[in-house]
Amino acid sequence: MEQKNDLKHYAKIHSIESFGTLDGPGIRYVLFMQGCHLKCKYCQNRDTWDINSGNYQSLDDTFEKILRYKNYIKNGGVTCTGGEPLLQVEFLIELFKKLKKENIHTCIDTSRNGFFLLDIKHIDPEKCKSLVGFSNEKELAFAKYLSSIGKHMWIRQVLIPGYTDNEEDLLKLKSFISSLKTVDRVEL
């Protein structure tokens, strides 16, 4: 199938939300991408994990659907989430270029890779590995990198009793976040 090889013009899409209010500032068109390498125990979107599920959608079709909502999202924008949207980065780059030409604000909700919603799954590398299957080194390094190049971000962490609510770990998280220069908001 030609679509599978054309990563710039096709992506696996799980679903959309046309009136999102939790995934960035303002009212947002939220594009849920299909596929994720993490297996977070508390994931609310487990049906987005399998990269072989979802439906292929073309870049042009996705862009046209978003433009239908331009008046509603003018004080918000578009957020790509998932799953892990950066598994389909070639598509995102092309989509974001088109959206920027229309002056539509963009956001990527990612666990590691504008403006970014960055999920820190757990501040402790071993506890993170136990929780999601991978250590947190890449996510923390990415947050430091975003800060160093002046990219604004919101940092989010899910609080789960017995998993992510240890006071010592939360103080380490606070210390880490305090070391970053471009964090606009923290959501727990």
Side-chain angles (χ1 to χ4, degrees), residues 3 6-11 13 29 31 56-69 90-99 101-102 104:
Q3 295 175 356
D6 189 1
L7 301 176
K8 282 185 168 183
H9 296 99
Y10 289 90
I13 305 297
Y29 187 98
L31 188 63
Y56 278 104
Q57 192 166 304
S58 75
L59 175 66
D60 291 337
D61 187 42
T62 303
F63 180 67
E64 291 302 319
K65 286 178 181 176
I66 292 169
L67 285 184
R68 293 179 198 156
Y69 294 89
E90 296 92 346
F91 179 86
L92 289 182
I93 289 169
E94 297 304 313
L95 178 62
F96 280 23
K97 285 179 186 176
K98 292 173 85 79
L99 293 171
K101 286 181 182 175
E102 292 290 326
I104 295 175

Side-chain angles (χ1 to χ4, degrees), residues 70-84:
K70 188 174 180 182
N71 287 335
Y72 298 105
I73 62 172
K74 64 184 174 191
N75 293 321
V78 173
T79 297
C80 292
T81 187
E84 174 53 65

Side-chain angles (χ1 to χ4, degrees), residues 29-46:
Y29 187 98
V30 183
L31 188 63
F32 291 87
M33 310 292 288
Q34 187 69 43
C36 186
H37 63 287
L38 299 178
K39 304 296 180 244
C40 299
K41 291 178 181 177
Y42 54 80
C43 181
Q44 63 183 359
N45 297 325
R46 289 175 179 246

Side-chain angles (χ1 to χ4, degrees), residues 96 100 105-108 110 112-118 139-155 177 179-185:
F96 280 23
K100 289 297 182 186
H105 183 269
T106 58
C107 177
I108 297 175
T110 180
R112 64 178 169 146
N113 290 318
F115 168 82
F116 292 82
L117 291 174
L118 185 62
E139 286 76 14
L140 300 182
F142 189 63
K144 289 177 185 176
Y145 171 73
L146 290 175
S147 179
S148 74
I149 62 171
K151 294 293 182 183
H152 289 269
M153 62 186 123
W154 289 4
I155 294 197
I177 292 171
S179 74
L180 305 173
K181 300 179 288 188
T182 57
V183 176
D184 295 334
R185 183 172 175 167

Side-chain angles (χ1 to χ4, degrees), residues 120-138:
I120 295 181
K121 304 301 184 177
H122 201 292
I123 194 66
D124 181 271
E126 289 304 314
K127 290 178 183 178
C128 186
K129 187 173 184 178
S130 172
L131 188 63
V132 304
F134 291 89
S135 179
N136 65 0
E137 281 102 5
K138 290 181 181 178

